[in-house]
Amino acid sequence: MTNNADVLTAFIMGLAGAGHCLAMCGGIASAIGVQNRLSNIVLYNFGRMLSYILLGAIVGGAVALIAPDSPHTTKLLRWLAVIFLLALGLYFTGWWPVLTKLEQAAKPVWQQIKRLAPKPQQSSTGANRVAVLFAGAVWGWLPCGLVYSALSYAAISGSATGGGLIMAAFAIGTFPAMIGAGYFSHAMRAILQAQGFRTAIGLLLIIYSLWTALTLVRPYFN
C-alpha cells in the first residue's frame, strides 16, 4: 500500500530539484522548440510525466511481483531509498556526485532512445501537438539522478499503481520550474541553477535522509 509520506516526499524531491530540472531538461525543451508557446510547454511536460508514471509503474509492479508482501524486502527498499536520498543530497551539494556515475552508465541506452524524439515545430497543428507530447515522453527517459532517487520510492509502493502515483507526484513537483522555464527571468534562472541554491537544497535532503534513517533504526532501541 502506498504511503502518503512517500508520495509527499516524491513531490518535494521534484519541487526541490527546480534548478537541476532546468539544467537537465530546460535546455532540451528550448532546443526542440517548445518554449515559446505555453500549450507546447504544458504538452511537453505532460509527456514527460507520462514516462515517469510508466517508469514508476514498472518499478513498483516488478518489486511487488518478485517479493509480494515481504517485510524484509520492504525494509531493504526503505534503506535503499534513504541511501538514494542521501546520494541525491550529496549530488546537489557537489560533495560526492556519485549519481553521475549512474547517469553515465545509462548513456549508451539513452543515445538509442533519444533518436525516437521527433522535432516539433512552432505551430499549433494537431500533428505538432502530438509531436511535442511524444518528444516530452521520450525525453522523460533521460538519465537523471533525481529521477533515479524518486524511483527508489516508487519501488517501496508495493504495486504498479502505487509506483505510478509516486512518480506522478514527483513529476508534478517539477512542473513549476519546467513550465515556468520559458518565462523565468534570467536572474531567477541564475538563482535556481546557482551552486549556492543547489547546496542549500542538498543539505536539506541530507538532513531529511538522516532523519528518515533514524526513524528506521529507532524501533531497535525501544
Side-chain angles (χ1 to χ4, degrees):
M1 184 176 179
T2 306
N3 189 320
N4 290 336
D6 293 336
V7 175
L8 180 60
T9 298
F11 172 76
I12 292 172
M13 287 170 66
L15 200 62
H20 185 73
C21 288
L22 286 175
M24 292 289 285
C25 300
I28 293 169
S30 296
I32 63 176
V34 303
Q35 295 292 40
N36 295 328
R37 297 181 63 90
L38 180 59
S39 60
N40 281 354
I41 296 170
V42 172
L43 281 171
Y44 172 85
N45 284 284
F46 184 68
R48 187 171 55 88
M49 181 174 75
L50 291 177
S51 285
Y52 290 164
I53 291 173
L54 177 59
L55 282 167
I58 290 172
V59 171
V63 171
L65 186 64
I66 295 170
D69 302 320
S70 171
H72 298 294
T73 301
T74 299
K75 287 181 181 179
L76 178 62
L77 291 174
R78 283 273 168 205
W79 277 109
L80 181 63
V82 168
I83 291 170
F84 261 100
L85 192 61
L86 177 60
L88 183 63
L90 294 171
Y91 177 62
F92 278 177
T93 60
W95 296 342
W96 190 43
V98 64
L99 290 181
T100 57
K101 297 185 182 300
L102 287 178
E103 294 176 349
Q104 291 168 358
K107 276 187 176 180
V109 176
W110 168 241
Q111 293 299 325
Q112 301 303 316
I113 294 175
K114 74 175 184 178
R115 294 178 182 178
L116 300 173
K119 301 293 184 182
Q121 305 298 318
Q122 291 295 343
S123 71
S124 58
T125 64
N128 189 63
R129 287 172 180 165
V130 172
V132 171
L133 180 68
F134 188 64
V138 170
W139 288 97
W141 294 78
L142 175 73
C144 174
L146 182 60
V147 174
Y148 298 154
S149 299
L151 283 172
S152 69
Y153 280 86
I156 302 170
S157 66
S159 68
T161 302
L165 177 62
I166 284 175
M167 291 307 291
F170 166 75
I172 292 170
T174 69
F175 276 14
M178 287 301 300
I179 292 180
Y183 299 96
F184 280 156
S185 67
H186 290 298
M188 179 61 73
R189 290 173 66 93
I191 290 172
L192 292 176
Q193 295 182 37
Q195 186 55 50
F197 178 82
R198 289 170 59 86
T199 298
I201 293 298
L203 284 171
L204 289 175
L205 292 175
I206 290 170
I207 292 170
Y208 183 56
S209 68
L210 295 176
W211 178 83
T212 304
L214 181 61
T215 63
L216 290 175
V217 300
R218 187 178 296 163
Y220 297 103
F221 296 95
N222 289 336

